[in-house]
Amino acid sequence: MGESEQATYQMWNERDCREVVDATFTVLAETGCKVDNSEARQLLADAGCAVDGANVKVPRQVMEGALRSVPKTLKLYDRFGNVAIDLKPRNTYFGPVITSVYTYDVKAQVRRYGTKLDARRAVLACDALPHISWASTMAGIFDGVKELADLYEVQTMLPNTVKPFMYWASSLDHLKREFDMFEVVFDAQTLVEKPAQIALVCPMDPLTHTDDGMAQVIYLARRSAPTVYIAGISFGSSGPIALAGNVVVGLADTFIGLLVSQLANPGAPFVASKFTDNLDMRTMTPTHSRPEADQINAATADVFRYLGVPFCLNFGATDSGTFDQVAAFDLAVQLYTAKLAGSNLNFSLGALESGNSSSPMMLAYADAVLSYLDVLTARPPVTPETLAVDEIAE
C-alpha cells in the first residue's frame, strides 16, 4: 500500500532526522571507519576521502554526493517480468529470514539442522503465500558439503519459485558462481533491467568493513545488481544504549556500503539497512522482540525516508524457541509496527529464537496476519458515496 491508502505514524520529525543524519556525517568525517579492502580504499581516496592505512575518513560532501547518486526507487520482478516489489516511500513488503542454523520440524516437534528437502519446502511455501513478497530457503542446508551452503540455497530457489528471492555468498568467488547460475535462467539484459534477486552483504560492525564484503559490494555494483548492505547494531554492545546514537552507528556503516557502490558504479541499485537487537546480558544472546527494537526500527524508517533511499529493516522475528502464543504476539506487533511505519523491505518472518532457527508454519501465520493488517491499516475513503447521506434519509 502507498501512503495515500494506508494509515501511518511518525516516530521522528524532519528536525530529528536531520540531526541524526548530521551526526552520522560527523562520525564518518571525524572518527571514520576501517576498510580492509584495497580497491575500496582506492575508490574512496580518489573521491576525496582521507585514507591512512585501513582507516578512512569521509568528508560530508563526498557522502552527500553518493546519496544524490543512489537510485531513489527500486523494482524487483517475478520470473515472468512483472513488477513484484516496488520500493518507494511507504510501500511495505515482507519476506522470510534466510539461513537460520536450525529448522523447526512441525511433524516431529523437534528443532534440527535444515536439509535440502526442508529448503525446497520452505521456498515452495514462500511462493504460495500471497503476502510473502520474496522467497528464501529459511534454514541453512546442512546435508551437503557445508562450505557450499550458500550455493545450495540459490540452486534450490531458482527452480522452485517465480517470486524474487534474497541470497548471500560466503565469498566473492561464490558470488561469481551464483551469477553463473543466474545466467542459466536469465539473460544478461534481464539481470540488469528486471532483476529477480537481491543480495545481502554484511559489514563487520561497528565501523569496520571486511575485505570480502567490500569486494562483493563492488562486484554487485558493477553488475548493476540490487544489494542490501546490512548494518546490525546491538543496544549497549556494538552500539550506544541511547536510541539516536545507535541509529547513527548503523547509518554510518550502511553509508559506507552505499558510498563504495556508487563510486564503483554511479546509479547502482542499493538498499540501505540498519538491523537492531538487544543483547541479553544474562545469556549473551541477541533478542529481537523487545519493544525498543520496534521503536528504533520505526524511527530508522523515518530517517531513511528523509534521505529518500530504499531500505530494509528487521521486523518479524521472535525470541521464542517454538511457534507459541509469545511468538504469535511478537510477530503481530512487529508486522503492525512495520505497516504503520511504512518500512520498505521487512526481513525475518518465520525466525525463532532470535534468528537461530525458523519455522515455515510461523511464516504461514505471518501471511494471515498481513492479510488482516491490509484491512486494518487501509484508510476508509470519505466521499459523497460513502457518506451515504441519501441512503440514511431513506
Side-chain angles (χ1 to χ4, degrees):
M1 287 186 180
E3 184 172 7
S4 63
E5 303 168 330
Q6 181 176 301
T8 63
Y9 74 76
Q10 184 177 33
M11 189 69 69
W12 276 342
N13 61 28
E14 185 173 340
R15 181 191 64 82
D16 296 329
C17 294
R18 182 173 60 252
E19 291 190 4
V20 168
V21 172
D22 285 346
T24 305
F25 288 150
T26 299
V27 167
L28 288 175
E30 297 181 4
T31 303
C33 60
K34 182 181 179 185
V35 178
D36 290 328
N37 180 275
S38 59
E39 186 176 7
R41 289 197 301 269
Q42 189 62 54
L43 288 169
L44 293 162
D46 291 345
C49 299
V51 177
D52 179 12
N55 298 313
V56 178
K57 294 183 178 180
V58 181
R60 179 184 182 120
Q61 63 270 22
V62 173
M63 195 63 242
E64 288 178 332
L67 286 166
R68 288 191 296 270
S69 169
V70 71
K72 301 304 182 286
T73 62
L74 173 64
K75 290 183 174 68
L76 296 175
Y77 295 80
D78 65 20
R79 191 65 57 86
F80 307 113
N82 303 309
V83 176
I85 293 174
D86 186 5
L87 297 182
K88 56 186 181 182
R90 291 282 179 188
N91 280 7
T92 57
Y93 300 91
F94 297 83
V97 67
I98 71 169
T99 321
S100 64
V101 178
Y102 303 101
T103 187
Y104 191 81
D105 188 319
V106 177
K107 291 185 177 179
Q109 294 290 295
V110 295
R111 186 190 71 163
R112 56 172 174 74
Y113 288 116
T115 66
K116 293 176 183 176
L117 180 58
D118 293 323
R120 181 173 178 272
R121 287 172 173 167
V123 173
L124 290 172
C126 293
D127 196 69
L129 294 168
H131 291 82
I132 304 304
S133 298
W134 67 86
S136 84
T137 62
M138 298 187 71
I141 297 173
F142 293 94
D143 60 342
V145 179
K146 182 175 65 174
E147 292 76 14
L148 302 181
D150 52 338
L151 302 181
Y152 291 145
E153 290 183 28
V154 170
Q155 182 187 45
T156 302
M157 288 185 286
L158 281 169
N160 288 304
T161 184
V162 299
K163 290 183 179 179
F165 59 86
M166 282 190 175
Y167 67 102
W168 64 285
S170 62
S171 65
L172 177 61
D173 177 62
H174 277 208
L175 182 61
K176 292 176 179 178
R177 293 169 71 180
E178 287 169 345
F179 269 84
D180 290 340
M181 287 191 272
F182 297 157
E183 289 169 353
V184 174
V185 180
F186 306 99
D187 60 54
Q189 183 177 3
T190 299
L191 279 174
V192 172
E193 295 181 357
K194 293 189 172 184
Q197 61 284 321
I198 185 166
L200 301 183
V201 184
C202 296
M204 181 72 73
D205 294 313
L207 303 179
T208 304
H209 304 270
T210 64
D211 183 11
D212 190 77
M214 285 281 92
Q216 290 191 37
V217 168
I218 292 169
Y219 177 83
L220 289 159
R222 289 176 174 160
R223 295 208 59 145
S224 295
T227 307
V228 183
Y229 197 59
I230 297 180
I233 308 294
S234 290
F235 284 110
S237 54
S238 58
I241 196 73
L243 189 151
N246 197 281
V247 174
V248 168
V249 176
L251 283 183
D253 274 341
T254 201
F255 274 7
I256 294 299
L258 185 153
L259 174 57
V260 169
S261 78
Q262 297 309 297
L263 294 176
N265 180 18
F270 185 90
V271 176
S273 184
K274 197 275 184 187
F275 285 17
T276 306
D277 58 55
N278 300 70
L279 191 67
D280 187 329
M281 296 300 180
R282 293 171 300 177
T283 61
M284 298 308 292
T285 57
T287 167
H288 290 179
S289 52
R290 295 287 300 169
E292 296 87 352
D294 295 344
Q295 181 188 33
I296 196 172
N297 277 345
T300 306
D302 291 328
V303 175
F304 283 135
R305 258 194 312 277
Y306 168 81
L307 291 166
V309 296
F311 61 96
C312 177
L313 297 173
N314 60 324
F315 281 110
T318 181
D319 301 327
S320 180
T322 185
F323 177 40
D324 56 12
Q325 295 94 327
V326 173
F329 172 84
D330 289 341
L331 192 64
V333 168
Q334 290 180 44
L335 298 187
Y336 189 34
T337 304
K339 290 278 283 186
L340 292 177
S343 176
N344 276 169
L345 288 179
N346 299 284
F347 166 96
S348 284
L349 272 64
L352 300 168
E353 52 177 331
S354 306
N356 202 36
S357 65
S358 59
S359 166
M361 184 170 67
M362 188 171 168
L363 189 71
Y365 169 75
D367 186 81
V369 171
L370 288 168
S371 177
Y372 184 97
L373 292 177
D374 276 352
V375 178
L376 177 61
T377 60
R379 282 189 174 133
V382 179
T383 67
E385 182 180 8
T386 63
L387 290 170
V389 172
D390 292 339
E391 286 74 12
I392 293 170
E394 282 188 32

